[in-house]
Amino acid sequence: MECDKCSGEAVMHAAYSGLHMCEEHFCASVEKRVLSRIREDNLLPNDATVEDPETWVVGLSGGKDSVVLTQILDETFTQDPRVELIALSIHEGIEGYRDKSIEACEELTETLDIRHETVSYAEEFGIEMDDVVEDDPHNMAACAYCGVFRRDILSQYAEEFDADKLLTGHNLDDEAETALMNFFEGNIRKMSQQFDSSIGPFDGADSSQTRDEPEEFIPRAKPLRDVPEKEVALYAHLRDLPAHMTECPHADEAFRGEVQELLYELEENHPGTRHSIMAGYEELAGLASAAYRDGSEDIDECENCGSPTTGEFCRKCDLLETLEAV
Ligand code: SF4
């Protein structure tokens, strides 16, 4: 099959757009979607200058998504020094898994020559995910603990590095799965919270504004969210990027797995489903945000660590306390 843009051999066919693309045009199209998203979401404000650049912290796990995002951002901003990139990796304490992906992060950041920091749950909280899974005092999935600790570290270090934005490598499939999970769980408040804490994950928002988000939160952005997962993987492969492809041994989010299967089937039978889910979800989340805004709870400081919380203690401190008690 030929590329629809030249006579080269096509390496992929996107059923949702009908396009066949060769390696060169496919890679260019992924990069273009990321840059369009950055532009549409106004991630780079007009007043950013070489003398006073923006600092963007990128969560770099070493998996394909964050590696591809870091690579594309670096290629973009080496020619535009109004943005300083800092890659932040988190070691959760998962034997035989995270060491390898941290190696991938080191290889990438050394090649790109960007600042790279690694933080571990052991240093920060005195825990390792392997032990958390073993003890499991709340009888929860590993990711439910891990997500809380990861979010805390990302926010804390983004603040420490004086970051203007916190970027993560969520792709289109991740976002559509989360949207469906929120629908199925009837979790409208969560939709509105995601809207408030993110820059531009939703159409029509002026992200140069910080919406009505509390000042305590550094705005988050997901510039890869228009690119389907398989295309991210193909891009990483074609560009020979040092992405670590092995799955975490504790990845046991059963519900997400079911939603993922459902989404694969829907996309297979009705190409473009992921895009339309996100278009509708974004509109709905904006409405939910407006509806909840008036009655929103006050953000306070956790009595233990000072993190923003609506209760006396934040979720991370609650979890750490029960883990200590085991
Ligand atoms: Fe943590 Fe779950 Fe990711 Fe494993 S899959 S690193 S447990 S969030």
Side-chain angles (χ1 to χ4, degrees):
M1 190 66 73
E2 275 190 8
C3 173
D4 289 326
K5 294 176 183 287
C6 69
S7 54
E9 190 190 342
V11 294
M12 66 87 67
H13 170 237
Y16 59 87
S17 64
L19 279 179
H20 296 84
M21 277 182 278
C22 65
E23 179 172 340
E24 188 187 333
H25 282 110
F26 165 70
C27 289
S29 119
V30 171
E31 290 153 14
K32 192 173 163 197
R33 275 174 277 171
V34 173
L35 299 188
S36 299
R37 179 48 60 199
I38 289 173
R39 244 190 327 271
E40 278 175 41
D41 291 349
N42 292 322
L43 289 195
L44 187 56
N46 292 333
D47 59 2
T49 60
V50 177
E51 293 76 34
D52 184 20
E54 284 249 309
T55 301
W56 290 2
V57 168
V58 187
L60 178 63
S61 69
K64 63 185 185 319
D65 303 303
S66 60
V67 163
V68 166
L69 176 62
T70 306
Q71 173 79 29
I72 294 176
L73 290 174
D74 179 73
E75 281 174 7
T76 305
F77 292 111
T78 42
Q79 290 148 28
D80 184 352
R82 288 174 300 159
V83 173
E84 183 201 0
L85 296 174
I86 302 175
L88 174 60
S89 300
I90 298 174
H91 197 311
E92 301 91 346
I94 301 171
E95 205 186 328
Y97 167 67
R98 193 47 89 200
D99 289 338
K100 289 267 177 251
S101 62
I102 296 283
E103 281 172 22
C105 299
E106 283 164 356
E107 188 184 335
L108 181 76
T109 51
E110 273 169 31
T111 308
L112 301 180
D113 193 23
I114 59 177
R115 180 175 163 192
H116 178 225
E117 303 285 344
T118 302
V119 185
S120 71
Y121 286 2
E123 287 159 1
E124 287 298 312
F125 309 128
I127 56 162
E128 306 222 318
M129 270 313 294
D130 287 338
D131 298 328
V132 172
V133 171
E134 183 99 11
D135 297 338
D136 188 15
H138 287 273
N139 196 21
M140 301 193 303
C143 304
Y145 294 97
C146 197
V148 171
F149 299 137
R150 172 178 300 118
R151 275 193 295 279
D152 183 86
I153 286 185
L154 285 174
S155 301
Q156 188 190 321
Y157 276 83
E159 203 177 311
E160 192 170 315
F161 301 147
D162 211 11
D164 298 291
K165 312 266 161 35
L166 175 55
L167 280 67
T168 54
H170 294 83
N171 60 48
L172 177 64
D173 294 60
D174 296 331
E175 292 297 274
E177 283 160 22
T178 302
L180 280 189
M181 287 165 75
N182 287 342
F183 276 129
F184 293 157
E185 288 168 343
N187 204 337
I188 308 296
R189 184 175 283 279
K190 200 160 165 189
M191 291 182 197
S192 84
Q193 286 167 344
Q194 285 172 347
F195 182 89
D196 287 338
S197 65
S198 304
I199 272 196
F202 305 101
D203 285 341
D206 177 2
S207 59
S208 58
Q209 308 291 317
T210 48
R211 303 186 176 154
D212 278 351
E213 77 206 35
E215 283 176 6
E216 294 86 345
F217 297 105
I218 290 167
R220 291 171 180 241
K222 300 168 184 169
L224 210 56
R225 69 194 171 86
D226 296 322
V227 186
E229 179 165 17
K230 278 190 184 158
E231 293 183 36
V232 178
L234 180 59
Y235 183 94
H237 171 70
L238 294 172
R239 299 285 314 267
D240 200 18
L241 299 179
H244 183 241
M245 297 295 196
T246 312
E247 195 174 348
C248 167
H250 303 314
D252 57 355
E253 266 197 300
F255 185 42
R256 182 174 286 273
E258 283 175 47
V259 171
Q260 194 175 50
E261 285 298 312
L262 179 68
L263 205 52
Y264 279 150
E265 210 176 308
L266 284 169
E267 185 68 35
E268 187 79 20
N269 297 333
H270 310 280
T273 295
R274 289 166 302 191
H275 291 86
S276 53
I277 287 173
M278 287 315 296
Y281 180 76
E282 289 165 1
E283 196 175 334
L284 193 61
L287 294 171
S289 168
Y292 275 106
R293 203 165 288 156
D294 290 340
S296 61
E297 294 157 296
D298 289 336
I299 304 284
D300 230 323
E301 284 189 356
C302 170
E303 292 204 359
N304 191 36
C305 72
S307 295
T309 177
T310 52
E312 201 176 336
F313 297 102
C314 69
R315 180 73 174 140
K316 172 205 67 186
C317 286
D318 278 342
L319 290 181
L320 288 176
E321 195 183 328
T322 42
L323 283 165
E324 269 167 29
V326 176

